[in-house]
Amino acid sequence: MVLPEKLLSSLKGVEGFDKEVFEKTHASSEQVTSVRMNPGKRSIDNIQWSMDGAIHNSPFIIDNKIPWTQYGYYLKERPSFTFDPLFHAGCYYVQEASSMFLEQALKQTVGLSIPLKVLDLCAAPGGKSTHIQSLISKDSLLVSNEVIQSRVPVLKDNIIKWGCTNVIVTNNDPKDFSRLKNYFDVIVVDAPCSGSGLFRRDPEAIDEWSENNVKLCSLRQQRIIADVLPSLKKNGVLIYSTCSYSKEEDEDICKWMEEQFQISNFKIQISSDWKIAGSSYGYRFWPDKLKGEGFFLACFQKKDGEDFFLVKAKNKLTLVNKKEAAIIETWIGEKRMQYFLRNEMIYAIPGNFEEDIIFLYDNLRIQYAGVAVGEIIRDKLIPHHALAMSNLICGSIPSVRVSYDTAIDYLKKKEIKIQTPGKGWHLVQFEGHNLGWINILANRINNYYPKELRILKESV
Ligand code: SAM
């Protein structure tokens, strides 16, 4: 792996940069694999996330805990996640370790137990969004936005798999958020960047790196921040991150922000054992110093702006009628939900968000909200996959526990052969976790796993 000479020379003098070991680390073929557990999945405790052994049927061996996050672990080797049913059940997210430092930024700058409005502006494929969702309270609302339309489906699928009820997925340009002045308590900008921090994982990206691209990225980062900052409230927190080593995209952007806007830089506590390099504005992750890829993060507090008051909107959500609500309530145990219809699909959102959702529908291109419950056809609910992935389902909904091989057949959307316990809709469970729905008929079992999510590979 030959790193761009211009990148190496531009990093001279940057906090924590040590050319020789940096190049050596890139030349070695070492790969770090890490996962972040989903605390929102029911019975997660039943899985033995032990430090020293396989967890379930897949070759999933934990090495160590990632020190800056409550939920992250390094794995000894990279297993085939595709062939792990618990991956498809949303029990964990495969995520680069350094980027889980977002947890420290949130914990140390924001009171996470209070209801917050959080925007993850550059969200696809959803690593930071699922992490944020695990950290905020149930009464908080996360707007998970992705501007590039083709990247929205993967974001939506990951949000559904994570089992979230309090997340709205949007497809907006950063400038659209100027309509939401002073609305958010926290904004995370995990900015599109030149990507040098991920060279070790993706050596092909080296060919795409150029000084000119760094310049273009830094101009785009400025535009993104200038566009979104009006939607942050006074005293609100902005978390800015990149996976680039270039100062032009990191400290220089922070300096520019401080000069342009009424914001102040936040310092957070880091343990020296973590081997993270503190820099003038933020925190730098060097792969030759710690177990993780290149990453930069900085936190700011906005000093101007006004209070936000939600004006009662003229528009309303189309709520389900009493009869429909009664049908839904036979499926859903959680009482504090509000159900509304959008293009025939019923969505569940926590009741306290109704006004916010109307406000967001009025101002943004919402692609998904809360939990898709399903459609009612001839007085019967056809449940959506998202309902199976959520924690909303009543304990009385029938389920079938399947073996590893049957789980894989199910996830391949093959016909599955099991002893049928009864007729009708059943949840398919593997090691206590829902994978999706089947409908058991008199003479066959219909597999309702979403076609677009099915495993395409025949074997590991
Ligand atoms: N936060 C994501 C995660 O943790 O999974 C990764 C985000 S990635 C570093 C940057 C994202 O910014 C990409 O999804 C990309 O599509 C999006 N993006 C590209 N151009 C953008 C722009 N002009 N404004 C906002 N986002 C943009």
Side-chain angles (χ1 to χ4, degrees):
M1 187 184 294
V2 183
L3 296 171
E5 201 44 58
K6 285 187 171 152
L7 171 68
L8 295 172
S9 56
S10 73
L11 296 179
K12 222 176 261 168
V14 171
E15 289 91 338
F17 178 61
D18 182 336
K19 186 166 180 280
E20 204 177 311
V21 278
F22 182 77
E23 282 189 288
K24 223 186 202 165
T25 303
H26 280 82
S28 85
S29 57
E30 195 206 351
Q31 292 288 332
V32 179
T33 303
S34 46
V35 296
R36 183 170 43 71
M37 303 309 173
N38 184 351
K41 288 282 166 177
R42 208 184 273 161
S43 69
I44 190 89
D45 295 341
N46 294 344
I47 303 171
Q48 291 136 32
W49 301 116
S50 68
M51 300 292 282
D52 54 14
I55 289 168
H56 42 81
N57 288 326
S58 69
F60 192 113
I61 304 180
I62 280 176
D63 191 6
N64 256 315
K65 222 176 164 308
I66 300 171
W68 44 82
T69 159
Q70 197 179 342
Y71 304 119
Y73 296 87
Y74 296 110
L75 301 190
K76 282 215 166 100
E77 54 199 43
R78 193 176 180 88
S80 169
F81 294 112
T82 307
F83 284 89
D84 181 6
L86 294 186
F87 170 72
H88 301 277
C91 291
Y92 60 89
Y93 191 97
V94 183
Q95 191 181 21
E96 195 286 300
S98 305
S99 57
M100 298 183 206
F101 185 67
L102 172 67
E103 183 169 322
Q104 289 300 321
L106 282 168
K107 281 184 170 166
Q108 294 192 38
T109 60
V110 187
L112 288 171
S113 56
I114 57 169
L116 297 170
K117 306 276 188 298
V118 183
L119 169 64
D120 183 11
L121 183 67
C122 313
K128 308 268 179 330
S129 279
T130 51
H131 197 177
I132 296 166
Q133 199 276 338
S134 297
L135 295 167
I136 57 179
S137 67
K138 272 192 179 163
D139 296 331
S140 296
L141 183 66
L142 170 63
V143 175
S144 180
N145 179 70
E146 172 54 46
V147 64
I148 298 179
Q149 193 160 18
S150 60
R151 289 173 60 86
V152 175
V154 66
L155 173 61
K156 183 178 139 189
D157 290 343
N158 280 328
I159 293 295
I160 288 177
K161 197 153 83 165
W162 208 245
C164 314
T165 53
N166 55 348
V167 182
I168 311 288
V169 176
T170 59
N171 171 218
N172 283 86
D173 190 276
K175 68 176 179 314
D176 299 339
F177 288 89
S178 63
R179 300 178 206 137
L180 278 66
K181 281 209 169 55
N182 305 307
Y183 181 70
F184 292 105
D185 300 284
V186 181
I187 297 181
V188 175
V189 177
D190 187 30
C193 68
S194 62
S196 46
L198 300 180
F199 280 170
R200 193 163 60 147
R201 289 200 151 179
D202 180 15
E204 279 162 27
I206 297 177
D207 296 335
E208 281 156 39
W209 189 92
S210 69
E211 281 177 307
N212 193 39
N213 193 31
V214 169
K215 178 83 201 142
L216 289 175
C217 286
S218 75
L219 291 172
R220 182 167 57 183
Q221 287 148 359
Q222 291 181 352
R223 261 195 327 270
I224 290 173
I225 290 161
D227 283 342
V228 81
L229 210 54
S231 66
L232 184 65
K233 62 170 61 152
K234 186 174 179 179
N235 296 326
V237 170
L238 172 72
I239 299 175
Y240 175 76
S241 61
T242 74
C243 57
S244 163
Y245 297 114
S246 297
K247 257 176 63 210
E248 292 86 337
E249 300 178 71
D250 297 339
E251 286 84 359
D252 290 0
I253 292 289
C254 296
K255 184 168 183 293
W256 170 85
M257 270 194 247
E258 231 178 30
E259 286 163 4
Q260 296 290 316
F261 309 105
Q262 298 284 316
I263 55 168
S264 64
N265 189 216
F266 251 125
K267 287 280 178 250
I268 52 185
Q269 301 288 318
I270 49 172
S271 157
S272 58
D273 295 345
W274 299 350
K275 310 278 188 248
I276 299 166
S279 81
S280 47
Y281 286 94
Y283 304 90
R284 281 185 164 263
F285 291 68
W286 297 98
D288 46 277
K289 306 256 175 327
L290 47 77
K291 256 180 105 175
E293 304 307 313
F295 185 62
F296 172 84
L297 181 143
C299 308
F300 295 89
Q301 187 172 44
K302 187 171 163 185
K303 292 293 173 195
D304 61 352
E306 281 148 36
D307 287 340
F308 177 84
F309 295 102
L310 202 57
V311 184
K312 227 177 166 41
K314 279 180 256 124
N315 294 335
K316 287 210 169 344
L317 292 177
T318 309
L319 300 180
V320 298
N321 61 33
K322 271 197 179 151
K323 190 175 162 194
E324 289 163 333
I327 295 168
I328 296 164
E329 277 157 18
T330 60
W331 292 73
I332 291 185
E334 178 69 55
K335 291 281 170 257
R336 299 171 315 139
M337 304 305 284
Q338 186 73 269
Y339 303 105
F340 69 95
L341 275 152
R342 202 100 191 164
N343 305 324
E344 323 268 290
M345 180 59 64
I346 296 163
Y347 290 89
I349 48 156
N352 54 321
F353 295 152
E354 191 177 341
E355 294 294 325
D356 285 284
I357 304 283
I358 297 170
F359 172 69
L360 294 172
Y361 265 115
D362 283 349
N363 288 289
L364 298 173
R365 274 162 54 93
I366 294 189
Q367 305 291 299
Y368 186 76
V371 175
V373 173
E375 289 179 64
I376 292 180
I377 298 173
R378 275 177 254 116
D379 292 344
K380 289 213 165 82
L381 182 76
I382 310 296
H384 191 282
H385 179 67
L387 182 61
M389 303 312 285
S390 78
N391 273 341
L392 294 179
I393 306 179
C394 284
S396 57
I397 296 295
S399 59
V400 287
R401 289 173 174 252
V402 296
S403 66
Y404 176 80
D405 290 343
T406 306
I408 296 297
D409 281 348
Y410 175 72
L411 294 166
K412 286 180 173 172
K413 207 170 165 58
K414 289 188 173 170
E415 199 181 319
I416 62 164
K417 292 183 183 65
I418 46 166
Q419 289 278 348
T420 51
K423 289 211 187 75
W425 290 99
H426 284 67
L427 287 162
V428 177
Q429 290 187 336
F430 176 73
E431 294 190 0
H433 289 277
N434 296 342
L435 299 178
W437 296 104
I438 48 172
N439 193 7
I440 304 175
L441 308 178
N443 52 356
R444 65 171 196 274
I445 298 172
N446 285 342
N447 182 338
Y448 273 79
Y449 194 66
K451 194 169 165 236
E452 62 283 7
L453 299 181
R454 74 193 190 281
I455 299 177
L456 294 170
K457 279 207 293 188
E458 249 332 289
S459 57
V460 180

